[in-house]
Amino acid sequence: MRFVSNLPHPVKEEEHVRIPMSDGVRLSAKVWRPVSSDEHPVPAVLEAIPYRKRDLSSVRDSMHHPYLAGHGYACLRVDLRGTGDSEGVLRDEYLEREQQDAEEVLAWIADQPWCDGATGMMGISWGAFAALQTAARRPPSLKAVVLASFTDDRYDDDMHYMGGAMLSDNLAEAGTMFAYATCPPDPAVVGESWRELWHERLAGSGPWVVEWLRHQRRDAYWRHASVCEDYSALQVPVLASSGWADGYSNAVTRLLEHVDVPRKGLIGPWSHKFPHLGEPGPAIGYLQEVVRWWDHWLKGEENGVMDGPMLRSWMQESVPPSTSYEERPGRWVGEPSLPSPRIEDVVHPLFAHRIGHPGEAEPEGPAAGEPLTVRSPLSVGQFAGKWASYNAPPDLPYDQREEDGGSLVFDSEPLPERVEILGSPTVELEFTVDRPVAQVAARLSDVAPDGASTRVTYGVLNLTHLAGGDPEPLVPGRRYRAVVRLNGTAQAFPPGHRVRLSLSTSYWPLAWPPPEPVLLSVEPGASTLTLPVRPVGEPDEGISFEEPEAVEPLATRELAAPEQSWQVSRDLVDYRSALDIVKDSGVTRYEEIGLDVGRRAVERYDWVADDFGSVRGRSAWTMRFTRGDWSTRTETDTVLTCDEKQFHVYATLDAYEGEERVFSRNWQVSVDRDLT
């Protein structure tokens, strides 16, 4: 990372600007803008997220908002209502009130004397969701958006229900937001009202996972703010990016294909990070790309930002399996449009444990056409890694050979020549099951000559979600047909390697298992694997990026060391297995404001043997804020268990001033399983 200080415009900062909402709540914003904007108004860029501009997101914010301001923009980082130093309560994600707030903030910005009336929105993850969802409402001042690591489909392509199968991140994300939504505002900013505002948050918050469990199928709750429900609502230019190691690897290509606005896509090898901070590397000069985007769409400069391919993506080379990479070898490739005329869907038939060549006839013999069966143990999935990798702690999938021991495996012959894929592979299965609720996980792996198996991509489908509408229970023994769509990827398979397809009936703890173990019978002669093949000799247009650069981050000091761990264990006495994750940020002092902040998150997913009713997930957080003799701490703990008929949530919230507990509440809620 190159840190720059000599920017075109000197910048001024305003730490705490209150923006009034129509219902009386005031949101808190930090503003960076050119000094010259007092006399010469400029376009403005908004980022609205719940991650505390005063401290927890302040280091990252200090790197890119002053950078953009130094290039001639007013930049605002707004704390969502009920977070950071804003008033109100944050009760759930992406509610109607949140989008109304964004519209009102944009209107307020456009009316300021330092703004010329043109606005943009940007962000990563929640911030990108907010930008996309707000853009679909067409506020008059909003002229363009910049999105990183996002989705347009809140149900099927977020951390909630992949293919109708509930992800464990449904619990993990709820645990994260339980912690963030119950933190106090900073008394140094909001004054004596801090305690009243904090207790309003404590009393109004709760474990969001309960509400998410009440919507186990795609209903109006998830359709709200899912832009995929009406792509025509989006009428502003979009610069969209993500990473192949991220959980959000699909929305960039889907948006490029379906919206009818000026658009550009960028997908690197990264986890859930901004591209200029991208891990695994290589990171790129993303902020330079963003400035060029804003210069064209907010200032009207003719700078060629729309030249070149619609999609630029990193074609990943083969690597040995690892839970973390510093760099992913590869090269940049470009596609002129999506769907790309360069990419061909190549259909491979499945035979008995073998991936056939395109067009190959099923072999004859007594075993030809016989069904293949699998009933996976709960241990399949313990090396699956995180749904959305953050690359810290190491959370990418490990060698898949142990997972394959409980799976139905199909291998190609050793490849005679290099094969490259770009897009979303699909698996079409003809099958029967012996239970009314079942799921299938499909994994595509790159198998080296020494047998090491690196997962390339995967997909999960709740098989009750076959009809395209509401889920229906399966009839045991009846033959069905399913299409399992795997996450998008770009991957090269070298000569001599094999392509492996693995099918399992559970993928715990990445996905919550069905109520009972399931015997899946697959008809290989009627099943296929389709790969999106990109010609190896296709020219790559000389795509390159500048070196990553940003403003030097604000000063912090480590007071207590962070701790990161990801541990799989199995006890052969009582047959209890577990995945234990620790994400402890230690204690950080934010020097400029004299604030010490500590964060510790612990997740545990455990089970006994192959007892599907024994699975249990836990997400526990501790958040600490200290300055002088002012000290607060919140402790949140959410546990999710199940039986064949219900999910059970047990949650606690305790808040402390000093060592005195000032708030405590417990929850115990059961929700019926809805074919999940």
Side-chain angles (χ1 to χ4, degrees), residues 207-245:
W208 295 0
V209 69
V210 173
E211 185 67 13
W212 297 345
L213 286 169
R214 288 173 176 152
H215 301 277
Q216 295 169 45
R217 59 181 69 189
R218 182 188 289 275
D219 57 14
Y221 176 84
W222 300 113
R223 289 195 295 270
H224 168 73
S226 286
V227 174
C228 66
E229 296 290 326
D230 180 13
Y231 285 112
S232 67
L234 191 63
Q235 293 291 307
V236 297
V238 179
L239 174 61
S241 65
S242 192
W244 295 129

Side-chain angles (χ1 to χ4, degrees), residues 47-51 60-61 64 94 121-131 146-150 241-242 246 248 270-277 286 390:
E47 181 182 19
I49 53 176
Y51 304 126
R60 188 209 68 182
D61 294 344
H64 67 243
Y94 319 133
M121 286 187 72
M122 66 175 292
I124 184 173
S125 198
W126 194 311
F129 276 71
V146 173
L147 316 173
S149 297
F150 68 100
S241 65
S242 192
D246 198 349
Y248 297 111
W270 315 301
S271 59
H272 198 65
K273 306 277 189 180
F274 270 122
H276 60 298
L277 306 172
Y286 176 69
Y390 288 82

